[in-house]
Amino acid sequence: MASSRRGIVRHELRAGLSHVLPLLYQVLSQTTCPESVSREALKCFSSWVQFGIPMLEDEGLIKLVIQALHREELFDIAVDALVNVFLHSDTHRYPACIMKLLPLILDTESLLNRVIQENDEEKCTGLFKLLVAIGENHSRLLVENTLLQSVNKINVLQLVNLILRCNNMPGYFSVDESCSDLPFSFWYVLQDDIISADPEHFRVYSETFRPIYARLVDVFLHKVQYPPDEQYLTWGAEEKEQFRCYRQDVSDTIMYAYNILRELLLGHLCTSLSLIIADPMQQNKWQMIEAILLAVEAVADSVDVSDEQYLPQVFALLPQIPFTNLKLITTALDTVGAYAEWINCHSSVLPGVIPLLLHGIGNPEVAPSATMALKDIVSDCQLQMKQFAFQILHPCQEALLNRQLASREQIRLMVCIGRVLATLEFDDIMASLNVILTPHVQQLQSYILEPLTGQSKVGIILKLNMLAMLCASLDVNSIHSEQQSEPQLLPPSNKPQPILIVLQQLLPLLKTVVSKWPNDNDVVKAVCEVLNKSLHVLLDAAALLVGDITDLVIHTYCTVSHSSLVELTKQLLLLFAGSESHKPTMMSLFSKMTERTLSLLNQDIEHHPDITEAFMILLAQLFKKHPELLDYKHCNLTGLFQCGISALGQAETPTVRNAASFLCEFIAQRCKRTETEAVVLKQGLVLLTRLLKAIGGEASRSLMNHMSDVLFMLNKHYYDHLSSWMMEFINQDGFPSPLAAKVNKEHFTRLILK
């Protein structure tokens, strides 16, 4: 059905409410009405509610539906109908009616008590859905009714406490019950309405709801606890995943609770943790300790980094925790990582947390959390790492040599090693690098001697990725810049960047890898990643290696073209195209890259979207920052422009976006380089044809902004020519679409040329 027709039908059905609802009231009010008729009446009511309900006129009908909740045979239909009523947007127009009906809903508490006692989960879920629907959809109304001491305030607090009972359903979520997740959105909406109130009302609301949120946190501390290990092992994979998601939702809700409770929440968690640790009889209750740490982690993003009241106590307690369970260790590690920024401002806690992190990286079961936390700590607290450097480096090296960690953990450890090494003196860095890198370089060399199998390929790529992340993180210049408040305080170091020496030694090995497997895109990409990361750190210091890296790129790209090589070329050109000593090398690189790419894309551009996109990015950046590279004798400007036009017609959004960016830069060069003007004048009609076809329907509407950017640049720099080109299309029948009449095209042209 068409949308216009659908609106008419909906309007007529809404008008029919005045006839249908009185009939339903008449049916449901008859005490002798057969059960089957009552069921159909309730189904009818539930369906018609979607068209709205005038609550003032039909309050009696709603009361009858509420009464139907107490009839076993009508419960399911009645509760669904009431949920539809209170979720409908029209009900916001009747706040007084909502508050008047609320006591009738609350009278179902006895029914709720009974179904909970009978363990009737289906009815529990139905009643809680109804309570949550009222609370979530009318949260602001409920909050506003707590300003004054009244019956309404009592009813609101009773409703909120009933919703809290939903969160406190006995048993483990996903195994013993499945409804305690219903109110999560309600608690978010409620706190949002509270904290968005004006300051005077916020104070009253906070005092009213603070005890409820405090009880909610206590409920969560109980509900998120893991069962005993022997029981947890009996759970299925789906149950474990649902419980994991439930715990994440609880964490989010505790974060919202912090907006209401603030320091009270941290104080409560800190006190609870200290009491458990101090009591030898409770120390074996690792589940409760884990739940408290989960709550502490949940509020990490909300706690101010200047907090000195409770967090120092929490971190002082960490070394005293008896870590007897891997789940407890994992949560403790996650908590440490979450507070990396705070720890940077309170480095006195580092001696207590670093041993925990280092203990974790050697255990494959907790290594994901340990390596992530260690990475966060050494990144945010890098300036404090020098005193712990050798304490950290040795366990990291041992963990890598044991080969028990997954690839991601090994790569993270290389980041940690690089950041820690960057804090040391040059001689210490080089000595440590020699010890740490030698086994991995030897392993890479052994892979090179073997045929490329699935296993050896994985090994090669892993070692290259590890080297890449080491190169990215071992930046001694960034440490020096952070250590000094004024540039003149520290003289420039006469020592080279350690990564420069590492890369000099690695380059022959990298050349061997790409020369042996030039056809493997993943291997070539990994090699380029090492070089890209190194160039990003070294910048101008990489000048000594420009010739070798350029030779590697040209030789490999002319053999087999990969987008990663185009990206590496962009990095080289942006760094060294402005250098007079390297300009000939850069021109040669650009010339050969352009010649090979145009040859490839002119044959079959559709099958090389990655190379097309990378090439367009390169051209856009180059035309913007180093247009002087276009001065070489045989620069094929026409070919580049035509390639951009072809890329503009591709289906991939990133390719089109970058092609448009390149064409805009090319067109804008008219004022600076006359040779580009000749190309645009010659190819402008072709470009405009491509643009108008795209606008006419050949391209997705999501790409129109990019097309309009190119049109704007043509209009700005080639207005007279664009006018004449547009006139040609106005008189061309059926272009760019059979649906475009001449009058439409004339109107479009006037808008474009305005």
Side-chain angles (χ1 to χ4, degrees):
M1 185 184 296
S3 58
S4 57
R5 178 67 177 165
R6 192 160 51 244
I8 295 172
V9 171
R10 186 177 184 84
H11 176 75
E12 293 299 322
L13 288 170
R14 189 179 180 89
L17 283 170
S18 59
H19 303 290
V20 174
L21 296 182
L23 174 63
L24 295 176
Y25 177 81
Q26 183 179 356
V27 172
L28 291 173
S29 61
Q30 295 178 7
T31 56
T32 59
C33 181
E35 175 193 331
S36 59
V37 176
S38 297
R39 289 179 63 85
E40 293 303 319
L42 288 171
K43 287 181 180 179
C44 181
F45 174 74
S46 184
S47 298
W48 277 84
V49 162
Q50 65 177 301
F51 303 111
I53 179 168
M55 296 189 75
L56 292 177
E57 295 87 343
D58 295 287
E59 184 181 317
L61 176 57
I62 297 174
K63 290 180 179 178
L64 289 174
V65 180
I66 294 174
Q67 292 173 12
L69 290 172
H70 298 275
R71 296 176 59 180
E72 179 80 19
E73 67 278 5
L74 301 179
F75 175 85
D76 293 340
I77 305 172
V79 78
D80 288 341
L82 289 170
V83 168
N84 290 339
V85 168
F86 288 106
L87 285 179
H88 199 283
S89 57
D90 280 2
T91 55
H92 290 282
R93 295 159 47 197
Y94 308 100
C97 192
I98 295 291
M99 297 309 298
K100 187 177 179 181
L101 291 171
L102 184 56
L104 300 178
I105 298 294
L106 296 176
D107 284 343
T108 62
E109 183 173 3
S110 58
L111 174 60
L112 180 62
N113 292 334
R114 179 171 61 82
V115 296
I116 291 177
Q117 187 175 4
E118 295 173 354
N119 200 25
D120 189 338
E121 186 170 352
E122 189 174 343
K123 284 189 172 58
C124 285
T125 301
L127 286 172
F128 282 133
K129 278 184 178 179
L130 174 57
L131 297 172
V132 170
I134 298 171
E136 190 174 330
N137 205 41
H138 303 281
S139 173
R140 187 174 295 276
L141 171 65
L142 299 174
V143 169
E144 290 171 351
N145 273 275
T146 63
L147 274 175
L148 302 174
Q149 295 294 336
S150 64
V151 174
N152 281 350
K153 180 176 181 178
I154 295 173
N155 290 335
V156 169
L157 294 180
Q158 184 181 351
L159 172 66
V160 175
N161 279 295
L162 286 177
I163 294 175
L164 180 58
R165 287 188 64 185
C166 180
N167 288 109
N168 200 23
M169 285 292 287
Y172 294 102
F173 179 79
S174 80
V175 177
D176 303 313
E177 55 89 9
S178 59
C179 63
S180 62
D181 63 334
L182 293 175
F184 284 136
S185 296
F186 163 73
W187 296 113
Y188 166 75
V189 174
L190 181 65
Q191 65 86 33
D192 192 49
D193 286 333
I194 293 172
I195 64 177
S196 62
D198 60 74
E200 184 180 349
H201 289 170
F202 171 74
R203 181 182 57 81
V204 178
Y205 296 155
S206 296
E207 291 176 358
T208 300
F209 289 99
R210 201 172 281 138
I212 295 175
Y213 272 96
R215 291 202 303 274
L216 176 66
V217 171
D218 283 334
V219 167
F220 283 153
L221 290 178
H222 172 71
K223 289 289 292 183
V224 298
Q225 290 183 34
Y226 282 100
D229 288 339
E230 58 272 14
Q231 182 179 348
Y232 188 71
L233 290 173
T234 65
W235 289 11
E238 185 176 351
E239 292 168 331
K240 290 179 179 178
E241 176 61 15
Q242 289 178 357
F243 188 63
R244 185 195 66 79
C245 295
Y246 173 79
R247 282 166 51 92
Q248 182 58 57
D249 290 335
V250 167
S251 294
D252 294 340
T253 310
I254 290 176
M255 180 179 65
Y256 307 142
Y258 181 83
N259 294 332
I260 306 298
L261 299 172
R262 307 302 296 179
E263 289 76 13
L264 291 176
L265 174 55
L266 274 180
H268 176 58
L269 295 174
C270 183
T271 302
S272 300
L273 183 61
S274 60
L275 288 175
I276 293 176
I277 294 176
D279 187 352
M281 300 298 294
Q282 296 192 58
Q283 284 190 2
N284 60 345
K285 296 182 178 179
W286 69 266
Q287 287 96 335
M288 187 59 185
I289 298 176
E290 193 272 342
I292 293 172
L293 292 179
L294 182 71
V296 173
E297 178 195 355
V299 301
D301 290 337
S302 303
V303 177
D304 195 277
V305 293
S306 62
D307 176 80
E308 295 183 352
Q309 187 173 5
Y310 296 112
L311 286 178
Q313 298 178 47
V314 172
F315 280 93
L317 290 169
L318 273 182
Q320 303 176 40
I321 294 175
F323 289 106
T324 57
N325 187 278
L326 292 177
K327 297 182 183 66
L328 173 59
I329 298 173
T330 298
T331 302
L333 292 167
D334 292 338
T335 303
V336 171
Y339 282 94
E341 186 178 356
W342 180 88
I343 293 173
N344 184 41
C345 300
H346 303 80
S347 57
S348 59
V349 307
L350 281 170
V353 300
I354 285 181
L356 175 63
L357 301 177
L358 298 179
H359 177 73
I361 63 175
N363 187 328
E365 295 187 70
V366 299
S369 295
T371 54
M372 289 185 69
L374 183 61
K375 179 184 172 185
D376 291 335
I377 292 295
V378 300
S379 298
D380 286 357
C381 313
Q382 189 173 11
L383 294 180
Q384 284 79 39
M385 288 298 105
K386 186 173 184 178
Q387 59 182 309
F388 304 101
F390 296 104
Q391 181 184 351
I392 293 173
L393 290 174
H394 182 69
C396 289
Q397 180 188 0
E398 289 295 318
L400 290 174
L401 291 177
N402 288 338
R403 301 185 186 180
Q404 294 182 341
L405 302 182
S407 298
R408 285 178 294 183
E409 280 79 68
Q410 295 184 56
I411 292 171
R412 282 194 210 110
L413 282 186
M414 273 301 191
V415 175
C416 299
I417 289 171
R419 294 203 180 280
V420 172
L421 284 175
T423 66
L424 301 178
E425 299 299 326
F426 178 81
D427 292 338
D428 291 331
I429 293 175
M430 297 312 301
S432 298
L433 278 176
N434 184 54
V435 174
I436 293 170
L437 286 184
T438 298
H440 303 288
V441 173
Q442 290 175 346
Q443 184 67 52
L444 182 58
Q445 290 172 330
S446 67
Y447 284 134
I448 294 174
L449 298 176
E450 304 172 5
L452 188 64
T453 62
Q455 183 177 358
S456 62
K457 177 179 174 179
V458 169
I460 290 171
I461 293 175
L462 171 60
K463 295 304 177 185
L464 290 173
N465 287 339
M466 291 170 66
L467 291 171
M469 295 313 298
L470 177 69
C471 293
S473 56
L474 209 175
D475 186 359
V476 295
N477 287 344
S478 67
I479 293 294
H480 292 158
S481 64
E482 289 181 38
Q483 286 176 331
Q484 53 185 338
S485 57
E486 297 182 14
Q488 66 270 23
L489 292 182
L490 283 179
S493 172
N494 59 355
K495 299 287 186 180
Q497 275 264 33
I499 288 304
L500 178 62
I501 300 174
V502 171
L503 194 58
Q504 284 177 321
Q505 297 174 355
L506 284 178
L507 264 176
L509 194 60
L510 299 179
K511 287 183 177 181
T512 303
V513 171
V514 294
S515 63
K516 189 169 183 180
W517 298 295
N519 293 301
D520 194 292
N521 183 64
D522 296 328
V523 172
V524 174
K525 183 178 180 180
V527 170
C528 290
E529 191 69 6
V530 175
L531 297 172
N532 263 319
K533 298 289 187 186
S534 302
L535 290 174
H536 183 74
V537 170
L538 294 172
L539 301 177
D540 294 343
L544 294 173
L545 304 176
V546 166
D548 290 333
I549 298 176
T550 301
D551 289 343
L552 182 151
V553 172
I554 292 175
H555 176 77
T556 309
Y557 194 74
C558 291
T559 305
V560 181
S561 301
H562 300 279
S563 60
S564 54
L565 290 165
V566 182
E567 294 165 4
L568 179 57
T569 299
K570 183 196 74 173
Q571 181 90 322
L572 285 167
L573 292 174
L574 292 179
L575 278 175
F576 299 106
S579 168
E580 287 300 320
S581 59
H582 293 102
K583 191 171 183 179
T585 304
M586 294 299 101
M587 281 191 170
S588 173
L589 173 61
F590 180 61
S591 172
K592 293 177 181 178
M593 172 68 65
T594 299
E595 181 181 353
R596 170 64 180 169
T597 305
L598 291 180
S599 173
L600 182 71
L601 298 184
N602 287 339
Q603 295 175 18
D604 192 7
I605 191 171
E606 287 83 4
H607 288 83
H608 301 284
D610 51 346
I611 293 179
T612 306
E613 180 187 348
F615 191 54
M616 290 299 109
I617 294 173
L618 182 152
L619 293 177
Q621 292 285 311
L622 205 58
F623 269 67
K624 186 176 183 179
K625 297 182 178 180
H626 293 290
E628 68 275 6
L629 277 187
L630 309 174
D631 291 340
Y632 71 89
K633 184 177 180 180
H634 301 293
C635 182
N636 187 359
L637 290 175
T638 300
L640 296 177
F641 196 78
Q642 290 174 335
C643 185
I645 296 173
S646 299
L648 205 62
Q650 301 308 299
E652 295 80 13
T653 298
T655 301
V656 174
R657 179 178 65 248
N658 290 295
S661 178
F662 158 60
L663 291 169
C664 288
E665 292 293 339
F666 193 107
I667 294 167
Q669 289 290 323
R670 182 182 190 185
C671 302
K672 304 174 184 176
R673 319 192 96 72
T674 56
E675 58 269 27
T676 62
E677 180 180 1
V679 175
V680 176
L681 293 179
K682 185 177 180 180
Q683 299 294 324
L685 198 59
V686 179
L687 171 59
L688 189 59
T689 302
R690 169 60 62 193
L691 292 171
L692 294 178
K693 282 184 176 181
I695 295 170
E698 285 191 4
S700 166
R701 292 181 65 86
S702 62
L703 300 176
M704 291 305 103
N705 284 342
H706 308 306
M707 305 300 171
S708 64
D709 289 342
V710 182
L711 267 178
F712 174 78
M713 295 303 291
L714 284 173
N715 197 18
K716 181 178 180 180
H717 295 280
Y718 294 88
Y719 177 83
D720 294 338
H721 299 87
L722 179 62
S723 301
S724 62
W725 293 336
M726 291 294 290
M727 290 303 111
E728 291 187 34
F729 294 128
I730 290 176
N731 299 316
Q732 187 175 339
D733 292 337
F735 182 89
S737 166
L739 300 177
K742 185 174 181 179
V743 63
N744 302 129
K745 292 190 282 187
E746 290 173 344
H747 178 65
F748 176 80
T749 301
R750 284 194 298 272
L751 293 176
I752 292 296
L753 299 176
K754 187 180 287 187

